[in-house]
Amino acid sequence: ELKVEQNPLFLSMQEGKNYTIYCNYSTTSDRLYWYRQDPGKSLESLFVLLSNGAVKQEGRLMASLDTKARLSTLHITAAVHDLSATYFCAVASHTGTASKLTFGTGTRLQVTL
Amino acid sequence: KAGVTQTPRYLIKTRGQQVTLSCSPISGHRSVSWYQQTPGQGLQFLFEYFSETQRNKGNFPGRFSGRQFSNSRSEMNVSTLELGDSALYLCASSLGTSGRIEQYFGPGTRLTVT
């Protein structure tokens, strides 16, 4: 059974600082997603990573994937308050044509002034 | 293009009752997946439907069921509600075909069981 571990669970950081969220998964997968969730809201898609060495960047967020290590990172550069949210990684698994996402526990990011 | 819609957005039910939640996917999307989000268990996969067929099912009791209609709209039903069923229920839609991988989530239905 696929297990997805995310750390840290909670991250308090000052504006302007850099930090990284880690996502480890237990079995081979061909897709890894990063989502953002604001309190009381749904999931907003940030990145989809498909292949080893994939790197995607959007604004102050950069995601990378190492399929050999079964590790993805979400790097935050020069954090701003607007980035405060909970971030989830999710790993796709397939059985025949069926698929599902297994989510990490989420990292609650709080950016303080 | 309209996004994924879910109705109702909020629902309060009593233990023992049943509930039906609805999800309308993005136009052209044929796959609908359902997830349950609770503070204790996080986000958990319930089931996936594609072209009116259930393709995958998560580890939930038989009280949780779903279906998909020919227009790709999906419903999930929970019978004999328990307090632990209180959660945010999210549906996600995608094209569902190989290589088309983006999953778009709806706003969710927040179910409270009292």
Side-chain angles (χ1 to χ4, degrees):
Chain A
E1 184 186 338
L2 173 61
K3 301 283 186 192
V4 181
E5 292 185 356
Q6 204 175 322
N7 65 81
L9 295 182
F10 179 74
L11 181 55
S12 180
M13 53 192 298
Q14 288 183 313
E15 275 201 337
K17 299 292 187 182
N18 303 333
Y19 211 83
T20 301
I21 299 170
Y22 297 88
C23 176
N24 287 91
Y25 54 99
S26 60
T27 60
T28 303
S29 173
D30 62 353
R31 304 171 211 167
L32 189 139
Y33 300 75
W34 283 97
Y35 290 93
R36 168 182 171 145
Q37 187 177 40
D38 291 292
K41 304 287 187 178
S42 187
L43 298 172
E44 175 191 351
S45 178
L46 294 174
F47 303 108
V48 181
L49 303 170
L50 299 179
S51 58
N52 190 43
V55 177
K56 290 196 174 180
Q57 183 164 5
E58 180 73 35
R60 300 174 187 274
L61 300 177
M62 183 174 71
S64 65
L65 178 62
D66 181 344
T67 57
K68 292 178 182 176
R70 296 178 189 154
L71 170 68
S72 179
T73 60
L74 180 66
H75 187 73
I76 302 150
T77 302
V80 292
H81 181 70
D82 285 352
L83 290 179
S84 297
T86 299
Y87 293 85
F88 292 93
C89 64
V91 179
S93 57
H94 311 285
T95 306
T97 57
S99 64
K100 69 174 187 179
L101 296 181
T102 300
F103 283 84
T105 50
T107 296
R108 187 173 155 224
L109 173 65
Q110 184 176 65
V111 181
T112 59
L113 297 172
Chain B
K1 207 179 214 184
V4 180
T5 59
Q6 290 186 247
T7 56
R9 295 292 311 280
Y10 302 91
L11 206 48
I12 299 174
K13 290 286 188 178
T14 305
R15 269 184 306 177
Q17 289 185 315
Q18 74 165 13
V19 67
T20 300
L21 312 181
S22 179
C23 172
S24 293
I26 292 170
S27 177
H29 284 194
R30 295 164 64 190
S31 170
V32 173
S33 298
W34 288 89
Y35 293 84
Q36 180 197 64
Q37 185 176 27
T38 60
Q41 299 299 316
L43 278 151
Q44 293 184 287
F45 171 78
L46 280 156
F47 20 68
E48 181 205 10
Y49 286 89
F50 180 81
S51 291
E52 302 179 65
T53 301
Q54 186 181 87
R55 288 206 296 199
N56 204 354
K57 190 178 192 311
N59 189 24
F60 278 81
R63 299 185 298 108
F64 291 81
S65 63
R67 59 179 175 168
Q68 187 180 34
F69 302 94
S70 58
N71 61 358
S72 294
R73 189 177 71 85
S74 177
E75 289 182 346
M76 67 164 280
N77 184 275
V78 188
S79 63
T80 319
L81 283 165
E82 301 177 359
L83 294 178
D85 297 333
S86 295
L88 180 66
Y89 290 88
L90 294 165
C91 83
S93 85
S94 71
L95 284 166
T97 53
S98 176
R100 305 301 181 113
I101 55 174
E102 287 281 3
Q103 290 212 14
Y104 299 89
F105 281 82
T109 293
R110 185 164 296 280
L111 171 65
T112 302
V113 182
T114 63

